[in-house]
Amino acid sequence: VSLSERGEFGFIERMRSWLPDGGATVGIGDDAAVVETTGNSVVAATDALVEGVHFRSDWSSPSDTGFKAVSVNVSDIAAMGACPRWILLALCAPPETTEEVLRGLYEGIEEACAAYGTELVGGDTVRAPQLTLVVTAIGELEGKEPVTRSGAEVGDVVAVTGPLGRAAVGVNLLLSQDAKDSSPEDAIACMAAHRRPRARVDAGAQLHQVAAHAAIDLSDGLGSDARRLSESSGVGFEIDLGRVPVAPEAGRIAAARGWDIERIVLGGGEDFELLVALPREQLEGTDWIEIGRVVDDGLWLVRDGQSVPLPDEGYDHFRT
Amino acid sequence: VSLSERGEFGFIERMRSWLPDGGATVGIGDDAAVVETTGNSVVAATDALVEGVHFRSDWSSPSDTGFKAVSVNVSDIAAMGACPRWILLALCAPPETTEEVLRGLYEGIEEACAAYGTELVGGDTVRAPQLTLVVTAIGELEGKEPVTRSGAEVGDVVAVTGPLGRAAVGVNLLLSQDAKDSSPEDAIACMAAHRRPRARVDAGAQLHQVAAHAAIDLSDGLGSDARRLSESSGVGFEIDLGRVPVAPEAGRIAAARGWDIERIVLGGGEDFELLVALPREQLEGTDWIEIGRVVDDGLWLVRDGQSVPLPDEGYDHFRT
């Protein structure tokens, strides 16, 4: 059964039967969703995933794509130190999209909602030439101050909340269409990191406990996200390349294939770990990894004891 | 200058220079937007406008399209009896999109934000084969109860907040590529209603004053939106065709061209007036137009004194 056979309103009826009952005051099926908030701050982010640009249907299952569409938005909420709560989905789909695909997308969305404690409360379904998922995530600060990109202070430690490089190695494996000379476990872990990233909601909730000065989620690569954090804060960053934690699976595959792991980590993106600037004494008690420090100005990479300008290798959607 | 020459981040810098400074705690340029709410309810809606499906670039200017993308979402917030406050925009655009087009889109968005008292606080910009604007509108109930689709009661008056048919006649004129035998003023008014609809925020704010039981915005046509309101409320509707207010411009053009105005009004859509069920005694004091009543069951159209089943002519995005 395709969308064009079911029709828009037939599909919405059916889709509602796939979803659990939620806690929204007004959920799916009215003009707008109504939710009850605590505190007086609401945090909102919207991100689009376009087939052929952000995902490929021959690489990712519909469920992967649904999961990822929620993750990338929840990650933005977590990077503000906020708690993600509600999800809206604008689904743009070709008329020939099958119910199997739609069902898979919503399964992935529901799995992500369950993982993050969020609820799908509304959306829109429209015809489009290319499958596109635009998710809006709404979260709450629950009385706390937002952790922005602009508060890093000279002397802060720069840390990441986990190892990097899996998703970018996963994409390279998928592009090379050949994972045969890698360990299957390593290849699967890296491809899964691309297909079904996990937002660091736990680390986001920790940002206040460590009095973090600034944070950003690593979506475009350590190089360009560090640049963004430092520019927003009006300070410089010095990154010790030797301290940057490379995910072991990613490191092994890159080594076996002769891929430049430095470039992958700096330019690869989609790790969705948080990059945080915080007071040095606060790092203790976290399992975050110190990778550098906030300095007066400039963006520096310390490689083999030599300080060099940080390469600008991040992903830009429009540059070719 | 195209998006691909400017780059994603170059564009975002530039776009920020086009926008006024707003009141958000954290606006455009961080991981997520942070806004301060009053009361404990937040209302959210998301709607996509896809080029070639919802708008055509040979019919509507970029500024029209930006304005409309905000209007259709603000209309959903108004139909809940809520006050629209914040806007997020996920812009999916081909790399060759020119800065002139982008500038126009944002001009229209800003004009709409100014008209509705809303603020653009965040978004995303991605590459896509088709120009698509996905807006999320967030509003507040300010301590009031939401006006849903499900509260209509037998005995209620059914009213619309203004005349219908302009936008659908406008589309028909644009499709026929020939407005020459219509009065220029009438044709312009109808085409403008399609290109740049106004959300009835004022009428939405009135819903509580008249103790409205249920409301929906007329986006898909009186026929299918009345069906949706009655089904959500578990009641029937009887619509007096003779009372349905046809916009004079639309009526004159339809008459001159032999177009079936009944079909246009019932099936045409995009009027963005509100359809409201309210206690009879409350209608006085509004300038809304009574068009029928809530009955036990069924959907009936009273035409020349005869009650007939209401035709189901609304727009469905996927049915062909």
Side-chain angles (χ1 to χ4, degrees), chain B residues 23-192:
Chain B
T25 306
V26 180
I28 293 165
D30 216 299
D31 294 297
V34 181
V35 296
E36 302 306 309
T37 59
T38 54
N40 294 316
S41 289
V42 160
V43 183
T46 188
D47 264 323
L49 294 195
V50 181
E51 181 168 23
V53 179
H54 303 88
F55 66 93
R56 283 173 52 166
S57 296
D58 54 339
W59 288 3
S60 298
S61 73
S63 157
D64 290 338
T65 302
F67 191 98
K68 186 169 184 170
V70 175
S71 287
V72 302
N73 281 282
V74 162
S75 179
D76 283 325
I77 302 294
M80 302 298 289
C83 175
R85 295 289 306 278
W86 303 286
I87 299 294
L88 296 111
L89 169 70
L91 176 63
C92 310
E96 63 273 17
T97 307
T98 62
E99 192 157 295
E100 193 188 344
V101 167
L102 295 167
R103 182 73 196 250
L105 290 171
Y106 279 84
E107 271 172 7
I109 287 165
E110 271 313 305
E111 283 165 26
C113 282
Y116 301 129
T118 57
E119 181 186 349
L120 182 68
V121 293
D124 188 25
T125 310
V126 300
R127 180 160 52 87
Q130 199 92 344
L131 187 62
T132 300
L133 286 79
V134 182
V135 165
T136 300
I138 301 178
E140 297 192 281
L141 278 161
E142 297 169 323
K144 297 190 281 275
E145 289 296 308
V147 180
T148 67
R149 295 180 180 175
S150 56
E153 295 177 12
V154 176
D156 280 351
V157 169
V158 175
V160 289
T161 57
L164 309 182
R166 276 193 206 97
V169 164
V171 167
N172 282 353
L173 285 176
L174 288 161
L175 276 172
S176 70
Q177 295 190 297
D178 157 31
K180 66 174 185 295
D181 61 347
S182 306
S183 110
E185 292 78 13
D186 287 353
I188 287 166
C190 290
M191 292 187 294

Side-chain angles (χ1 to χ4, degrees), chain A residues 164-186:
Chain A
L164 309 182
R166 277 194 204 95
V169 164
V171 167
N172 282 353
L173 284 175
L174 288 162
L175 276 172
S176 70
Q177 294 191 301
D178 157 31
K180 66 177 184 295
D181 61 347
S182 306
S183 112
E185 292 77 15
D186 286 354

Side-chain angles (χ1 to χ4, degrees), chain A:
Chain A
V1 188
S2 72
L3 255 181
S4 60
E5 292 163 291
R6 183 76 70 189
E8 180 182 358
F9 303 109
F11 163 68
I12 293 170
E13 271 310 293
R14 193 132 182 88
M15 177 260 284
R16 290 176 71 176
S17 77
W18 301 336
L19 302 175
D21 283 340
T25 305
V26 179
I28 293 165
D30 216 300
D31 295 296
V34 181
V35 296
E36 302 306 310
T37 59
T38 54
N40 293 318
S41 288
V42 161
V43 183
T46 189
D47 263 324
L49 294 194
V50 181
E51 182 168 23
V53 178
H54 303 86
F55 67 93
R56 283 174 51 165
S57 295
D58 55 338
W59 287 4
S60 299
S61 72
S63 157
D64 290 338
T65 302
F67 192 97
K68 186 169 184 169
V70 175
S71 287
V72 302
N73 282 281
V74 162
S75 179
D76 283 324
I77 302 294
M80 302 297 290
C83 175
R85 295 287 308 277
W86 303 285
I87 298 294
L88 297 111
L89 169 70
L91 176 63
C92 310
E96 63 274 16
T97 308
T98 64
E99 192 157 297
E100 194 188 343
V101 167
L102 296 167
R103 182 71 194 253
L105 290 171
Y106 279 85
E107 272 172 8
I109 288 165
E110 271 312 305
E111 284 165 26
C113 283
Y116 301 128
T118 57
E119 181 187 349
L120 182 67
V121 293
D124 188 24
T125 311
V126 300
R127 180 159 53 86
Q130 198 93 342
L131 186 63
T132 300
L133 286 79
V134 182
V135 164
T136 300
I138 301 177
E140 297 190 281
L141 279 162
E142 298 169 321
K144 298 189 281 274
E145 290 295 307
V147 180
T148 66
R149 296 179 180 175
S150 56
E153 294 177 13
V154 176
D156 280 350
V157 169
V158 175
V160 289
T161 58
L164 309 182
R166 277 194 204 95
V169 164
V171 167
N172 282 353
L173 284 175
L174 288 162
L175 276 172
S176 70
Q177 294 191 301
D178 157 31
K180 66 177 184 295
D181 61 347
S182 306
S183 112
E185 292 77 15
D186 286 354
I188 286 166
C190 290
M191 291 187 294
H194 161 73
R195 289 175 174 139
R196 198 172 259 258
R198 286 297 292 252
R200 293 301 309 272
V201 174
D202 53 336
Q206 245 183 305
L207 289 172
H208 290 101
Q209 291 163 32
V210 301
H213 288 152
I216 188 171
D217 68 323
L218 289 169
S219 53
D220 295 325
L222 179 59
S224 64
D225 289 323
R227 184 174 303 272
R228 219 158 291 150
L229 198 60
S230 79
E231 284 177 358
S232 293
S233 293
V235 295
F237 276 19
E238 193 177 64
I239 307 288
D240 292 333
L241 188 61
R243 286 174 175 266
V244 173
V246 175
E249 307 90 330
R252 283 191 292 266
I253 292 174
R257 295 184 167 236
W259 292 344
D260 181 348
I261 192 66
E262 174 185 330
R263 229 184 130 178
I264 285 173
V265 164
L266 291 179
E270 293 203 326
D271 288 306
F272 296 106
E273 297 294 338
L274 304 185
L275 177 68
V276 187
L278 72 166
R280 171 163 299 281
E281 67 275 13
Q282 295 282 354
L283 190 65
E284 222 177 313
T286 71
D287 59 357
W288 301 351
I289 303 107
E290 175 178 351
I291 62 165
R293 65 207 65 83
V294 178
V295 296
D296 281 324
D297 51 40
L299 274 162
W300 309 98
L301 190 68
V302 183
R303 186 199 283 132
D304 305 326
Q306 300 270 345
S307 195
V308 297
L310 185 74
D312 192 0
E313 304 250 18
Y315 186 72
D316 186 308
H317 269 108
F318 292 99
R319 291 210 185 272
T320 42

